[in-house]
Amino acid sequence: MTATLPPTDADGRIAELREEIDACDAELIRLVQRRLAVSHEIGRLRRESGGTRLSLAREQQVIARFQDALGPDGAALGMMLLRQGRGRL
Ligand SMILES: O=C(O)C(=O)C[C@]1(C(=O)O)C=C[C@@H](O)C=C1
């Protein structure tokens, strides 16, 4: 059986939890921006040293990591992060 809270208690708890979600989102945005900057720097270094624009083997590792941790939506998230770094193929 699940405990039921009076609506006013539930409202207060929802507001608290939303603050936690807002903090998570802010941290995620900061991390995505940091990831993007690092990815661009790697790409620049690779191009300047005569390498390829992309590293498909590395992209597979990244996607597999997200897939293992989060399932199919995780794989999609990994692909979005990669696309953000290198642009659409
Ligand atoms: O790890 C690299 O070699 C990168 O260039 C970074 C990165 C990434 O964003 O994770 C970006 C493009 C590559 O195709 C593979 C991975």
Side-chain angles (χ1 to χ4, degrees), residues 21-85:
I21 284 181
D22 290 347
C24 287
D25 288 350
E27 203 172 328
L28 284 167
I29 289 166
R30 187 182 59 75
L31 286 171
V32 169
Q33 289 171 334
R34 180 171 150 215
R35 189 191 194 288
L36 182 59
V38 173
S39 177
H40 281 165
E41 187 169 352
I42 294 174
R44 184 179 56 77
L45 287 168
R46 195 172 39 245
R47 282 193 309 279
E48 285 174 3
S49 60
T52 54
R53 189 166 78 87
L54 303 178
S55 167
L56 296 182
R58 174 65 180 166
E59 293 200 5
Q60 281 172 359
Q61 286 176 358
V62 171
I63 292 167
R65 182 190 307 142
F66 277 89
Q67 164 87 42
D68 290 348
L70 303 169
D73 283 348
L77 181 59
M79 284 188 252
M80 285 171 67
L81 290 169
L82 288 167
R83 193 179 74 199
Q84 191 194 33

Side-chain angles (χ1 to χ4, degrees), residues 12-26:
R13 183 68 184 131
I14 287 169
E16 274 175 14
L17 291 168
R18 282 184 176 161
E19 279 181 24
E20 202 172 323
I21 284 181
D22 290 347
C24 287
D25 288 350

